[in-house]
Amino acid sequence: MPLRIVVATGSSVPIYRQVVEQVRLAAATGRAKAGDALPSVRTLAEELVVNPNTIAKAYGELVREGIAEAQPGRGVFIAAKRSVYSRAERARRVEGALEEFIHEAVCLGMPEEEIRALFEKRLSRADFKQGEDKP
Amino acid sequence: MNEFLAMAWKDVREHLKWAALLTLALAAAMAYALHGGGVGASGSSFFGESFLMISAVGFPLAGGLMGFLVVAFESRRDPWAFLIHRPVPRPTLFWGKIVAGWAMYFAAAGLPLAVAMLWLSRPGHVAQPFFWGMALPSVADWLTGAAGVPVGMLLALRPARWYGSRVAPVAACFIVGLCNFAAREFWQSALEAAVGISLLTAAARWVFVAGISPYPLNGWGRRALAVVILPAIAIGLFMALAMAGSFLDPESPDYSYHRIGFLKDGRVVHINYPSARRDELQLQDLDGKPLPDLASVHDYATLNEKSAPTIALARQTDYFSIMANATSYRHGSYRFFIPLQNYWSGGMVWYFRPDIARFVVYDQMSSNLLGSLGPDGFVPADREATARFPGVYLGTPQESKTESLVTFTGGVYRVDFQARKILATLYVPPKWETLASANEWVEVGETRTVEKVQSLVVMQGTRVLMLTKDGEPIRMIDLPAEFVKTTYGLSLCRTYEPDRYFVSGIEGQDWTGPFVLMEVEPATGQPGEIRRYKQEMPVPPPPPIYVPGAIGFAAAPAGMALYAALIAVFGRGDWHNFWRQIDPVMTALIIGMAISALVGGLACAWRARRGGMARGPTIAWGVAGAWLGVVGWLLMLCVEDVPLREKCPGCGKPRLITRERCEHCAAAFAPPAMDGSEVFVPLG
Amino acid sequence: MSEMVSNSVRKSEGESGNEPVIVADKLTRYFGRKAVVHDLSLSIPRGGVTAFLGRNGSGKTTTIRMLLGMLEPTRGSSRLLGHDSRNLPPETRARIGYMAEAHPLYGWMRPAQLADFQRRFYPRWNQELFEAIVAHFRIDSKTKAGQLSRGQRAGVSLGLTLAAEPELLILDDPALGLDPVARRLLLETMLFYTRGKGRTILFSSHQLDDVERVADHVAILDHAILRASCPMEVFRGRVREVVLRFDGQAPPTPSVPGLLRTQRFERELRLTVANFNGHAQELAARAGAAAVEENELGFQDQVLAYMGDRGDESFFLNSLRAEA
């Protein structure tokens, strides 16, 4: 499945950061695999109707963070998975997601066991190999 | 060139519809003027009033409309930006537009004119002789009308502080038209049109280049615009003051008029004509005493009944010659033919053609030439006629009758126009003499209907000849040469009861001199004593002093100089005398003028100084103000933008907002206050 | 369309490559006694898209007209492509594309006629590009300009402007009156234009989401005064919201440098601040707030904060409360 990036204007997050976040998330969840080509700056800019400099800046950021790597003359590719986030950051993000999940479930009146069962079931289905570092 | 053509072409395309409409409108107007408009010998051709009205007023209006159109739609902010932001010098765009305006104007006015010319040149259309030269007045108007194009552009372009200054160029166009009207020869008209159009075009060009939210005009632009606006201000101010003057002085002056008259009973009297204050005429004797037996004569009918017949004598050959009317190429057809006033008789229209020295006659219905009448009689149109009347045509004194006297410097004829016949050759002067005038002496009977031709009076040099109605000599009067030379408006009068002859006139060319009266011994024709009676001029009472004072104020030195020049060139002297007679008026004028000069000069210089102008322009405006007075100051308001001033943060004095540094303390303007919200980071 | 774009940047003699394409130095213009542009200094380098923002009547159009030499500045000066704005030589004008507000066109001409007319003035006319843009906007070339919709007129205007291959593009509110589709087409065309190397756009707009998409730089004009001129990211980072929460009624607004807007709620003060120094806690202590929070703002809110009235009057609830 090709990487699909969408941007929203009017958000408090600047457009280049929206691009960075989406690529990062895709890389982290395995929707984008290492070696996948990102669309060229020009193509993505025209697709999203945003300034190419914004996309270039986002790609620069991704390369700097090690999520993507630029191969001169060929384009930008998803990099082999390294630790994309620091340990603390990873914890913060997962906790945020958990908070939301639990909040929603409690609000909907789901009993604790059911929540737990659901969580276990989904966890067992997740493919941990996908995003692993290649040897 | 490419850009210029593109611009011109675009504007022609854009307004072609209007140009076509204008062509149709002008064509319709001309058709009306030539066909249905004026009935009459001179009323239905190039010299017809309605036709000349179309060319003199309609053409500049048409030009103005075209000039207005090529700019009006683009003289608003955004369309103007679209027009101006092109990689061409602005004058190129201007020339493109004005040439488009001219092209459309010349076509819209010229096409109908050309058609009219062709139509008139073909026989059978207008009962009148045709010469191509007759088209010259219209052609001159056609050229002059092109002045309307830059005026229309100025109207549409010029942002003006007040509407008066926006419509001001119209007055300049009016002046151009007036000069064209006053010109005596075609080349003068053409030259005048060229000068006027150049000036207006120069003004329009610089205004166009300056733009609709104008950059200041440069020196030449300002000068051209000043010349264009000046007439409007001068005329406007003068009219305003004249109107104010008429309000201040509501009592209209009493114009009285009198002359010397002759009664049948041999008395010579003063006739005082009715005036604004007196509604009856009055008779007095020559010394101003009332005449008791004539105290009841108060109306014209009674006066005519008692008056003795008077006959006009011309003192010089050319003075009363009808050809004297041919001074201008554009007023009347006299350079080509002379219409006779008997056109209504018998469906025929008669003209005298100086070029063949014959009368020609047209059929009023078919407008075709019927033939010509010469000393050899009538010759139909299809046969060649060569005989010429001798000398210069002096006129037909009673041409409204079918049977009429026709006078040339070389002979007097009796002609029956109805029957197209020469009835008699009444008198032919000796070879070395020329006739100055010939008139029939008509006795007026108890009622006006009884008219009896008694004799013929001919003036030849200083000699007056009286002949019977068939040309037999009766009597001869030799007038003193000096008398004939200095007296104007000569006439001969014959009274009855005592059979007396009087020659009278006015001394001096300007008609202001004394009446001159000379009795002639009837038997011998010997001139008697010459008597003079001072003429009381029909002078209005002097206006209150503030009226001429106000005129002086409006005119200022330049205006007065122009005024004096106009009087010197065109004046017949009356006004000249008028001002000279009444000293307080002249004094008021001079005082008004001095005040105006002082006020204008100071106001202009002060405004220039305040506006931070350099020394040169300041002096120039001061001089202009002094020379033009208040008009100069108004002109400066129109032409020169003076920047505002505001308080200097440094020294507190008012300073020009256009200068970076204060002219007093060299401080800069305070930058706008910062409020900490500024985010300035260099880009890139 | 890419092969139609010429990458060459033409420079006239004596013009250095590094000089900014637009320089305004203390540009000031009065209308009557009022300064509608006050002391505006600005420098826009070659390349990039600059958005010129401000409310109606804040002086954007006046500034643009002065830059293009269509309006004489009361004082100050400006240069375009190295030439004084008052005296732009025709060769320089040829390198500047300008679209005036409201897309003026000759209503009686069809798009093709407009192009025929326009190309006579431009030696480097790119007819293919014009046709491509007109096609992109789905304009029937047989319709007269006067009968085109706003968006189509914008398309024709843009085509006429871009076909001249300008290296500097100045657009005065190009999105005025356009529907969303036309606005998107406009943005796409603007982005397409920037493919050429060294091409610069200055455009004014009220469409802040469009601006957010395409602008590299922003310049904000507020009541005749230029308040911001900086790269987009800098701007995004500099304007933030500080929320002060109180236990009781909120006290009067504390003085904060760079305060743009105050919104007053029951127990809360929301301050929009430019160049906030980051000492939120200190501010909270000074104002006696129980809690403080610092938020990022969307671009629209950031710009709105600049355009509105400053201080406490900025939110109508404030004045209502004051009356109560």
Side-chain angles (χ1 to χ4, degrees):
Chain A
M1 191 177 85
L3 181 60
R4 187 167 162 73
I5 297 170
V6 286
V7 294
T9 54
S11 149
S12 63
V13 184
I15 291 176
Y16 86 93
R17 255 170 51 204
Q18 293 181 31
V19 174
V20 170
E21 292 299 325
Q22 286 177 45
V23 174
R24 189 172 11 216
L25 191 68
T29 59
R31 274 197 293 122
K33 295 188 191 67
D36 279 2
L38 288 175
S40 76
V41 168
R42 173 93 36 217
T43 311
L44 188 58
E46 272 166 22
E47 188 191 319
L48 301 179
V49 196
V50 295
N51 193 318
N53 293 340
T54 308
I55 304 298
K57 190 175 155 60
Y59 281 12
E61 184 96 1
L62 287 168
V63 169
R64 204 163 47 249
E65 288 184 12
I67 296 163
E69 57 188 19
Q71 298 182 7
R74 291 187 56 209
V76 180
F77 299 86
I78 301 287
K81 193 172 179 181
R82 288 195 299 270
S83 190
V84 171
Y85 296 114
S86 70
R87 209 180 166 79
E89 173 69 5
R90 192 158 44 183
R92 195 185 68 77
R93 282 174 172 268
V94 172
E95 264 168 41
L98 268 177
E99 176 91 5
E100 204 172 312
F101 164 68
I102 290 167
H103 184 256
E104 188 78 15
V106 169
C107 281
L108 292 169
M110 188 178 266
E112 196 185 330
E113 310 82 70
E114 234 175 280
I115 299 175
R116 226 184 273 284
L118 195 64
F119 182 78
E120 291 292 340
K121 189 175 154 201
R122 292 300 297 257
L123 194 65
S124 66
R125 269 201 285 164
D127 180 2
F128 284 95
K129 285 195 179 125
Q130 228 175 38
E132 265 172 22
D133 288 355
K134 287 196 172 131
Chain B
M1 200 61 195
N2 192 18
E3 293 94 346
F4 160 78
L5 287 177
M7 198 67 234
W9 180 237
K10 176 237 143 198
D11 273 306
V12 168
R13 275 290 307 271
E14 190 165 310
H15 305 294
L16 207 54
K17 228 182 339 185
W18 288 99
L21 215 61
L22 195 62
T23 312
L24 287 180
L26 286 173
M30 281 184 202
Y32 177 76
L34 289 179
H35 216 64
V39 177
S42 63
S44 58
S45 172
F46 280 128
F47 294 104
E49 256 177 48
S50 41
F51 192 85
L52 283 175
M53 186 63 122
I54 292 165
S55 59
V57 179
F59 284 6
L61 278 179
L65 180 67
M66 283 299 133
F68 188 81
L69 283 177
V70 293
V71 185
F73 300 110
E74 284 167 277
S75 63
R76 281 164 295 146
R77 197 182 74 187
D78 297 328
W80 181 256
F82 183 57
L83 171 73
I84 286 303
H85 182 72
R86 281 164 201 283
V88 269
R90 279 197 207 180
T92 307
L93 297 176
F94 169 77
W95 291 117
K97 281 192 168 288
I98 198 167
V99 164
W102 276 331
M104 285 188 290
Y105 159 71
F106 279 126
L111 285 177
L113 186 62
V115 171
M117 269 152 72
L118 282 176
W119 186 78
L120 280 169
S121 70
R122 306 289 303 280
H125 285 137
V126 170
Q128 201 175 69
F130 178 84
F131 297 88
W132 283 104
M134 285 160 57
L136 283 181
S138 308
V139 171
D141 287 347
W142 184 58
L143 295 176
T144 309
V149 176
V151 169
M153 290 179 86
L154 279 170
L155 280 188
L157 270 177
R158 231 169 77 67
R161 238 168 292 153
W162 30 286
Y163 280 94
S165 121
R166 192 162 180 155
V167 296
V170 173
C173 191
F174 177 72
I175 299 271
V176 173
L178 217 58
C179 291
N180 169 44
F181 198 70
R184 296 199 165 178
E185 300 298 333
F186 176 73
W187 66 265
Q188 291 170 340
S189 274
L191 184 71
E192 177 276 327
V195 171
I197 291 170
S198 308
L199 256 173
L200 286 164
T201 304
R205 179 212 180 268
W206 270 293
V207 166
F208 185 94
V209 168
I212 55 161
S213 48
Y215 267 69
L217 291 171
N218 69 8
W220 286 111
R222 226 174 275 145
R223 268 165 238 175
L225 192 63
V227 172
V228 164
I229 288 180
L230 182 60
I233 298 175
I235 293 171
L237 192 63
F238 197 87
M239 269 165 50
L241 281 172
M243 264 172 68
S246 71
F247 276 123
L248 289 172
D249 177 33
E251 230 176 295
S252 63
D254 189 31
Y255 293 93
S256 67
Y257 177 70
H258 68 142
R259 69 168 177 89
I260 288 179
F262 305 91
L263 302 184
K264 282 178 180 161
D265 59 11
R267 279 188 287 182
V268 185
V269 294
H270 254 301
I271 306 170
N272 289 302
Y273 283 93
S275 71
R277 305 251 164 84
R278 211 158 22 77
D279 54 0
E280 291 172 328
L281 56 78
Q282 280 174 348
L283 303 184
Q284 294 165 334
D285 74 2
L286 290 177
D287 302 319
K289 293 196 190 79
L291 299 162
D293 62 320
L294 296 173
S296 61
V297 178
H298 289 313
D299 60 311
Y300 292 103
T302 324
L303 178 66
N304 284 341
E305 205 60 45
K306 292 194 180 291
S307 291
T310 306
I311 202 163
L313 302 171
R315 48 180 283 284
Q316 278 159 356
T317 314
D318 61 340
Y319 195 78
F320 277 107
S321 160
I322 206 146
M323 293 307 290
N325 286 319
T327 47
S328 161
Y329 79 101
R330 60 176 300 131
H331 301 300
S333 57
Y334 290 95
R335 287 196 178 177
F336 306 101
F337 57 84
I338 296 142
L340 270 58
Q341 295 303 312
N342 60 354
Y343 56 85
W344 45 268
S345 64
M348 287 181 290
V349 197
W350 285 91
Y351 302 93
F352 179 72
R353 267 179 62 178
D355 59 328
I356 54 171
R358 291 175 75 87
F359 291 98
V360 289
V361 60
Y362 287 80
D363 181 52
Q364 189 152 33
M365 292 302 286
S366 69
S367 297
N368 280 321
L369 178 67
L370 296 173
S372 64
L373 186 73
D376 55 346
F378 182 76
V379 177
D382 52 358
R383 270 196 284 142
E384 202 186 340
T386 48
R388 299 167 65 96
F389 280 114
V392 177
Y393 177 59
L394 294 177
T396 48
Q398 283 158 322
E399 57 187 35
S400 62
K401 291 189 232 163
T402 59
E403 200 184 299
S404 184
L405 206 63
V406 174
T407 317
F408 297 87
T409 52
V412 185
Y413 302 83
R414 188 176 302 286
V415 177
D416 186 342
F417 285 107
Q418 180 79 55
R420 306 179 203 163
K421 252 198 229 156
I422 305 281
L423 295 176
T425 305
L426 295 178
Y427 178 74
V428 175
K431 276 238 153 33
W432 56 89
E433 283 286 8
T434 53
L435 285 186
S437 70
N439 281 295
E440 281 179 302
W441 196 301
V442 177
E443 186 190 346
V444 182
E446 290 302 306
T447 58
R448 295 285 296 172
T449 49
V450 185
E451 293 182 345
K452 247 177 0 187
V453 176
Q454 282 200 324
S455 54
L456 183 68
V457 179
V458 171
M459 178 126 179
Q460 178 185 303
T462 59
R463 176 173 291 177
V464 180
L465 295 168
M466 277 179 234
L467 313 164
T468 65
K469 66 185 270 243
D470 301 317
E472 299 300 320
I474 306 171
R475 179 172 291 130
M476 192 172 81
I477 304 170
D478 272 316
L479 297 174
E482 187 60 27
F483 174 82
V484 174
K485 204 175 158 193
T486 57
T487 312
Y488 288 77
L490 273 184
S491 66
L492 177 70
C493 176
R494 182 186 179 187
T495 64
Y496 291 90
E497 293 300 302
D499 195 13
R500 299 170 77 179
Y501 290 86
F502 294 96
V503 178
S504 67
I506 291 174
E507 205 168 82
Q509 199 169 7
D510 61 0
W511 304 98
T512 57
F515 295 117
V516 190
L517 184 65
M518 183 177 77
E519 185 163 3
V520 179
E521 179 59 41
T524 59
Q526 204 58 39
E529 187 199 343
I530 298 173
R531 280 177 288 169
R532 292 183 171 77
Y533 299 95
K534 187 171 181 294
Q535 185 182 187
E536 284 167 34
M537 281 298 295
V539 166
I545 198 155
Y546 44 76
V547 173
I551 292 171
F553 191 65
M560 284 308 281
L562 188 70
Y563 186 54
L566 284 177
I567 286 175
V569 174
F570 298 110
R572 295 287 301 264
D574 312 37
W575 280 93
H576 197 54
N577 273 347
F578 167 60
W579 295 122
R580 229 187 317 180
Q581 271 169 5
I582 311 156
D583 281 339
V585 171
M586 206 62 216
T587 315
L589 269 172
I590 290 170
I591 291 171
M593 200 174 84
I595 292 172
S596 181
L598 199 69
V599 168
L602 288 178
C604 285
W606 181 71
R607 193 160 183 269
R609 239 184 88 82
R610 239 194 57 167
M613 288 187 200
R615 181 182 285 268
T618 305
I619 292 173
W621 271 117
V623 170
W627 195 233
L628 298 171
V630 176
V631 173
W633 184 72
L634 288 173
L635 191 66
M636 190 182 177
L637 275 187
C638 288
V639 174
E640 199 86 60
D641 262 326
V642 168
L644 289 172
R645 301 191 302 171
E646 63 181 32
K647 218 173 109 181
C648 173
C651 59
K653 288 183 200 159
R655 60 183 279 194
L656 294 170
I657 57 171
T658 48
R659 301 230 170 130
E660 302 285 353
R661 305 218 155 261
C662 175
E663 56 264 39
H664 309 294
C665 64
F669 274 98
M674 308 270 272
D675 63 1
S677 68
E678 286 75 14
V679 183
F680 290 113
V681 174
L683 312 176
Chain C
M1 294 203 278
S2 61
E3 59 282 357
M4 295 167 197
V5 181
S6 97
N7 276 329
S8 66
V9 170
R10 295 161 294 268
K11 290 189 196 94
S12 67
E13 278 176 50
E15 190 184 326
S16 91
N18 302 334
E19 190 174 357
V21 290
I22 299 176
V23 186
D25 182 26
K26 293 184 186 159
L27 209 53
T28 302
R29 172 72 203 198
Y30 284 64
F31 282 141
R33 294 216 155 265
K34 191 168 167 263
V36 289
V37 175
H38 191 183
D39 228 34
L40 182 142
S41 296
L42 184 69
S43 165
I44 295 175
R46 190 175 288 282
V49 181
T50 304
F52 199 25
L53 307 174
R55 298 187 61 182
N56 289 335
S58 59
K60 300 189 302 287
T61 298
T62 306
T63 307
I64 289 176
R65 292 176 68 215
M66 284 194 283
L67 290 177
L68 284 158
M70 291 182 180
L71 183 70
E72 144 120 304
T74 302
R75 56 175 187 265
S77 63
S78 59
R79 296 169 78 74
L80 248 55
L81 298 173
H83 293 276
D84 191 329
S85 292
R86 294 159 191 253
N87 255 321
L88 287 178
E91 313 80 67
T92 307
R93 245 181 223 289
R95 294 157 56 203
I96 303 167
Y98 169 47
M99 246 170 79
E101 222 171 13
H103 322 298
L105 292 172
Y106 300 118
W108 57 276
M109 286 192 192
R110 300 171 210 288
Q113 288 173 309
L114 277 163
D116 277 346
F117 175 59
Q118 204 75 352
R119 68 189 298 177
R120 307 267 214 111
F121 296 90
Y122 293 94
R124 290 180 304 274
W125 185 259
N126 187 337
Q127 181 69 17
E128 256 181 291
L129 181 59
F130 172 78
E131 280 163 13
I133 292 172
V134 165
H136 189 56
F137 274 78
R138 309 223 189 296
I139 297 160
D140 177 12
S141 60
K142 287 184 191 70
T143 316
K144 288 184 179 172
Q147 276 140 22
L148 294 174
S149 70
R150 266 280 168 99
Q152 289 172 320
R153 278 214 335 257
V156 175
S157 281
L158 209 55
L160 292 176
T161 309
L162 294 185
E165 300 273 12
E167 60 195 76
L168 169 62
L169 189 58
I170 296 179
L171 309 173
D172 193 356
D173 207 351
L176 180 72
L178 301 197
D179 61 50
V181 177
R183 261 166 55 202
R184 184 49 64 89
L185 293 172
L186 173 76
L187 281 193
E188 285 169 1
T189 314
M190 278 166 69
L191 287 177
F192 167 77
Y193 167 78
T194 59
R195 282 188 178 193
K197 226 184 202 151
R199 287 180 163 184
T200 314
I201 300 183
L202 172 71
F203 77 112
S204 69
S205 184
H206 296 295
Q207 302 297 338
L208 296 177
D209 40 350
D210 290 358
V211 170
E212 193 184 346
R213 282 175 183 278
V214 301
D216 295 306
H217 315 307
V218 285
I220 299 181
L221 204 53
D222 172 46
H223 292 96
I225 296 164
L226 190 71
R227 290 292 181 197
S229 159
C230 57
M232 184 65 140
E233 321 84 80
V234 173
F235 182 76
R236 297 299 311 262
R238 288 283 183 95
V239 183
R240 327 186 113 238
E241 184 182 67
V242 180
V243 184
L244 298 172
R245 293 207 176 78
F246 300 91
D247 291 332
Q249 189 74 275
T253 313
S255 80
V256 185
L259 178 67
L260 294 170
R261 182 162 74 158
T262 310
Q263 284 165 291
R264 188 176 285 273
F265 297 96
E266 198 63 31
R267 286 154 182 247
E268 204 175 281
L269 271 182
R270 282 191 201 164
L271 311 177
T272 309
V273 185
N275 302 318
F276 187 56
N277 55 16
H279 304 315
Q281 295 303 333
E282 186 196 323
L283 174 65
R286 191 147 54 85
V292 65
E293 189 181 307
E294 216 180 313
N295 294 330
E296 289 189 343
L297 280 176
F299 180 64
Q300 189 145 354
D301 287 324
Q302 292 180 309
V303 176
L304 285 178
Y306 269 93
M307 291 180 183
D309 292 315
R310 299 291 155 88
D312 245 351
E313 311 307 323
S314 57
F315 193 64
F316 74 99
L317 280 179
N318 301 351
S319 28
L320 286 181
R321 290 214 182 87
E323 275 166 36

